[in-house]
Amino acid sequence: SAGEPQKFVEAAREMSLRAERLPPLDRRALEVDVGELRGRRILALSAAAIARTASGSRLPSVPGLRSPVFSEECIGCGACVEACPEGALRSADEGEYRVIEVSWSRCTGCGDCEEACRENELEALSLGGPTAEQVLGWGVGVRLRLERCEICGRPFATAGELRRADSPPICLECRARISAEAIAMGRVRA
């Protein structure tokens, strides 16, 4: 009947109002005492349900369930990606940008990524609450513009990487070609 959709909307609205009046969830109560992995899975499912309604925002940090959070200090070096034993971080150059993505469901919060960042004398990564997108799948941790090679024009490195290496904006392929040409012309000895 025509009134059925309206009844559903009213019931959903009433449930929403009831949920708003409930006290905050005790996250410890969501864990099942049958092992850390199962408790983590239940928390992950609960977080995913919350994340679907919080798209685009960072969720609160839950003790024991943390994921990488990147600061503006990140240069996109990828040390964190290489250090992650669970494959919870991945990096790709996409057109004009280097994107490092995070999968909260794969992250164990071990801190290896944070340690790798510190070993590179950076403070660009810490562990905290994930974004809604990271809970639901792969979400962007950081997105950095790539500088273009002065010779070929191809995007290849972030400004932070070039600063750190004290290097002119010339990609490795062009450097190798220039060096080979200099050797071939006898300007430099091999």
Side-chain angles (χ1 to χ4, degrees):
S1 77
E4 289 299 315
Q6 185 59 33
K7 286 182 184 177
F8 177 77
V9 169
E10 288 173 9
R13 189 174 294 131
E14 177 61 30
M15 287 175 59
S16 176
L17 290 172
R18 285 183 189 170
E20 287 176 9
R21 291 190 297 259
L22 290 173
L25 286 176
D26 178 5
R27 288 183 172 85
R28 290 181 298 246
L30 295 173
E31 291 192 56
V32 175
D33 192 19
V34 291
E36 184 179 326
L37 187 59
R38 181 165 177 163
R40 180 175 170 77
R41 177 80 176 136
I42 289 171
L43 272 172
L45 291 172
S46 301
I50 294 167
R52 285 189 187 89
T53 63
S55 184
S57 59
R58 185 161 297 284
L59 302 176
S61 183
V62 177
L65 297 172
R66 304 172 306 157
S67 69
V69 177
F70 294 85
S71 75
E72 292 179 10
E73 306 299 316
C74 179
I75 64 171
C77 68
C80 55
V81 176
E82 293 175 22
C84 181
E86 302 300 325
L89 294 164
R90 64 184 180 192
S91 176
D93 290 353
E94 299 174 357
E96 300 282 322
Y97 294 92
R98 173 156 308 142
V99 179
I100 299 177
E101 294 181 310
V102 179
S103 173
W104 184 73
S105 64
R106 292 181 177 210
C107 180
T108 62
C110 68
D112 286 359
C113 57
E114 190 175 24
E115 185 61 33
C117 189
R118 275 198 219 108
E119 285 175 5
N120 280 332
E121 299 174 8
L122 296 170
E123 294 287 330
L125 188 136
S126 61
L127 295 175
T131 64
E133 289 77 14
Q134 291 165 354
V135 171
L136 297 174
W138 288 95
V140 174
V142 67
R143 180 180 158 123
L144 302 163
R145 179 173 287 283
L146 293 171
E147 299 295 317
R148 292 184 168 275
C149 174
E150 287 182 348
I151 296 171
C152 69
R154 183 179 63 85
F156 76 101
T158 67
E161 288 177 304
L162 293 173
R163 249 190 334 274
R164 182 154 180 115
D166 194 23
S167 175
I170 301 172
C171 70
L172 294 176
E173 290 83 5
C174 288
R175 284 178 191 227
R177 192 180 77 245
I178 291 168
S179 295
E181 289 171 0
I183 290 169
M185 296 178 76
R187 294 185 188 153
V188 178
R189 290 186 187 177

